[in-house]
Amino acid sequence: MKKTVLQPAVLNFVLVALFAWVLCTLYMFYLQLAEIMKNPESSWEIMIPAYPFFFFLLIGIPAAIYLTKQNKKKHRGLWKAFMLPSEFEESDERERYITSKACRSSYITMMFIGPLAAGLMTFYPLVQEHLPYYPIMVVMLIPLAQIAAYFISFNKNI
C-alpha cells in the first residue's frame, strides 16, 4: 500500500514544483515585456529559458496522464478522477479512516501555512529586486505543504 500512496504524492509534488518553475519563468518574461512597453526605444529583446517548459512537457504531461488514468481506475469514473486527489485510498473502511485522518492533518496544516505564507509575503519588498517572482514561490509552497502533510500523516497512520 505504501508504494501506491508514495507514487502519487511524489508525482503531485513534482507537478506542483514544475508548475511553479514555469510560472516564475513566465513572470520574468512579463517583466521584460513590461519594460519594453515602458521604454519602446530600448532593445526589443526578451530572453525566456526553454528548460522549464521542456521539463514540464517532458515530465509533467506524462505524469498528469498517468495520475488521471490511475485515478480513473481507482474511482471508477472520469469526473471523480479529475475532482479527487490521486492520493486518496478508499477501497475499504480502514483506508477511508486513514484517509480521513490524513485529510484532517492536511487541513490543520493549512491553518498554519496560510498565515505563514501571508507573513512571508511581508518580506517581499526586501527581496523584490533579487527575487521578483517571490510571491509565486510563496503561494506554491501552500499546496506543497498540503501534499507533504497528507503523505506524512497517511504513512504514520498505516
Side-chain angles (χ1 to χ4, degrees):
M1 180 186 282
K2 285 189 181 187
K3 181 183 178 239
T4 60
V5 176
L6 173 65
Q7 193 176 35
V10 169
L11 286 176
N12 280 330
F13 203 85
V14 168
L15 281 173
V16 171
L18 285 172
F19 183 65
W21 191 20
V22 167
L23 285 178
C24 291
T25 304
L26 283 174
Y27 185 76
M28 295 305 292
F29 165 75
Y30 292 133
L31 280 179
Q32 293 174 36
L33 185 62
E35 190 62 38
I36 289 173
M37 294 174 102
K38 284 181 195 173
N39 188 7
E41 290 82 33
S42 68
S43 170
W44 280 61
E45 183 178 322
I46 295 178
M47 300 286 288
I48 184 164
Y51 289 117
F53 301 99
F54 175 73
F55 283 117
F56 188 74
L57 292 174
L58 184 71
I59 298 168
I61 290 178
I65 291 170
Y66 172 77
L67 287 172
T68 304
K69 280 186 176 184
Q70 292 299 103
N71 225 8
K72 187 178 174 186
K73 286 180 194 173
K74 193 184 313 179
H75 299 298
R76 295 181 187 92
L78 192 58
W79 178 253
K80 284 186 176 181
F82 283 121
M83 293 295 121
L84 291 175
S86 54
E87 293 93 351
F88 278 17
E89 295 285 339
E90 298 184 313
S91 61
D92 62 14
E93 189 66 32
R94 179 181 158 272
E95 287 181 350
R96 279 192 286 276
Y97 175 75
I98 293 170
T99 299
S100 70
K101 297 270 292 180
C103 286
R104 181 181 185 278
S105 297
S106 181
Y107 181 79
I108 291 169
T109 300
M110 293 307 293
M111 292 297 143
F112 291 102
I113 200 72
L116 178 66
L120 287 173
M121 292 297 275
T122 62
F123 293 106
Y124 182 57
L126 300 174
V127 298
Q128 184 176 10
E129 191 172 315
H130 301 290
L131 289 171
Y133 44 83
Y134 180 75
I136 295 171
M137 293 170 53
V138 170
V139 169
M140 295 310 287
L141 282 176
I142 295 171
L144 292 177
Q146 189 175 22
I147 292 168
Y150 181 90
F151 175 70
I152 291 168
S153 176
F154 194 94
N155 281 337
K156 188 176 91 175
N157 290 315
I158 284 184

